[in-house]
Amino acid sequence: MSNLYTAEATATGGRAGTAKSSDGRLDLNLSVPAGMGGDDGPGTNPEQLFAAGYAACFQGALGVASRRAKITLSDDSTVTARVGLQKTGLAFALDVELEGHFPGLTDEQALALMHAAHEVCPYSVATRGNVDVRLSVR
């Protein structure tokens, strides 16, 4: 297996700090959501970053899955990722819902495509067996 790309980012100050990529394209303030006892400041948080990354990556995997299935996806198709943070004993865990919207496809076609993308998406592969990931269509 060969590495196609490596992203690098550094965080300072934890959930109420900053995160910056090595190339400077990402430079963010982080804030703790009120639901987690924070000040709900203007910054983003790790769950939002994970949701954005997973949604984008999964959309790319849908492109692969649709080409393999010879299905044309509408330019209006979307993937929404909802990432939850749960407390489990002394640890914390994530749960994810991926919701696809595919104009022109039946719910059955769309869900089959979601399952096919879930098999190839790097985020799905990385979380498999570790994170509860639910797939749905609207």
Side-chain angles (χ1 to χ4, degrees):
M1 198 166 39
S2 65
N3 192 6
L4 300 175
Y5 172 74
T6 299
E8 180 181 328
T10 301
T12 304
R15 287 181 166 274
T18 61
K20 184 175 183 177
S21 63
S22 59
D23 63 6
R25 293 180 186 184
L26 181 74
D27 191 353
L28 302 168
N29 290 319
L30 303 171
S31 299
V32 180
M36 293 176 57
D39 67 359
D40 209 23
T44 189
N45 61 66
E47 291 72 32
Q48 287 178 329
L49 295 169
F50 190 81
Y54 204 158
C57 190
F58 201 83
Q59 184 83 41
L62 281 161
V64 171
S66 67
R67 285 189 296 279
R68 288 178 180 172
K70 296 180 177 31
I71 295 173
T72 301
L73 287 180
S74 162
D75 289 340
D76 295 339
S77 68
T78 61
V79 174
T80 300
R82 295 180 185 90
V83 176
L85 181 66
Q86 302 174 342
K87 187 159 171 58
T88 59
L90 297 177
F92 295 91
L94 298 175
D95 74 78
V96 176
E97 178 187 0
L98 297 172
E99 180 184 79
H101 174 64
F102 309 102
L105 298 184
T106 67
D107 285 352
E108 293 77 23
Q109 289 173 315
L111 200 51
L113 204 55
M114 293 278 290
H115 282 282
H118 192 48
E119 292 302 312
V120 299
C121 174
Y123 276 63
S124 294
V125 171
T127 59
R128 189 165 291 123
N130 299 310
V131 174
D132 179 26
V133 178
R134 297 170 310 283
L135 306 176
S136 64
V137 296
R138 71 170 166 92

